[in-house]
């Protein structure tokens, strides 16, 4: 049975959702995800491209969705494969 999308996910436009999920995956898979995230935030400040990368900022309305996706990806990576098959 498929899970219904979360309320937060429903509010995120498809294009933004794709971008956020890709960045969350990148940060979660990096050996030092905190460093990768810090570099991305610095890039956000330097480029001031808030429209594209604003979700990295703590006060952005889509930041909670980004955090949700990052944690979800980290859990998926850490979960043993055989446990996921049960």
């Amino acid at each position: 049975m498929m899970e219904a999308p979360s309320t937060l996910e429903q509010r995120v436009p498809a294009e933004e959702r794709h971008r956020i999920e890709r960045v969350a995956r990148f940060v979660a898979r990096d050996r030092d995800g905190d460093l990768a995230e810090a570099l991305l935030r610095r890039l956000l400040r330097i480029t001031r491209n808030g429209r594209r990368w604003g979700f990295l900022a703590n006060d952005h309305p889509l930041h909670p969705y980004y955090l949700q996706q990052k944690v979800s990806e980290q859990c998926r990576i850490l979960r043993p494969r055989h446990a996921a098959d049960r």
Side-chain angles (χ1 to χ4, degrees):
M1 179 183 349
M2 275 187 67
E3 259 186 328
S6 70
T7 307
L8 185 56
E9 186 176 347
Q10 291 172 345
R11 293 188 316 220
V12 180
E15 182 181 318
E16 288 291 317
R17 188 176 24 221
H18 180 67
R19 182 179 304 118
I20 291 169
E21 290 168 359
R22 282 183 25 215
V23 171
R25 220 174 298 131
F26 167 75
V27 170
R29 289 179 180 172
D30 189 63
R31 287 180 192 252
D32 191 354
D34 292 336
L35 179 61
E37 193 171 56
L39 289 171
L40 290 170
R41 286 183 185 182
R42 181 166 164 77
L43 179 65
L44 170 65
R45 280 193 308 272
I46 292 169
T47 63
R48 297 184 183 175
N49 196 345
R51 198 173 117 226
R52 186 168 176 91
W53 307 108
F55 62 85
L56 291 167
N58 293 334
D59 61 346
H60 193 277
L62 296 179
H63 187 71
Y65 181 72
Y66 164 69
L67 291 177
Q68 175 187 348
Q69 293 304 308
K70 183 175 77 168
V71 169
S72 175
E73 185 66 22
Q74 287 169 332
C75 290
R76 191 188 67 73
I77 290 168
L78 294 175
R79 184 179 14 197
R81 187 175 265 318
H82 65 277
D85 294 337
R86 291 182 190 170

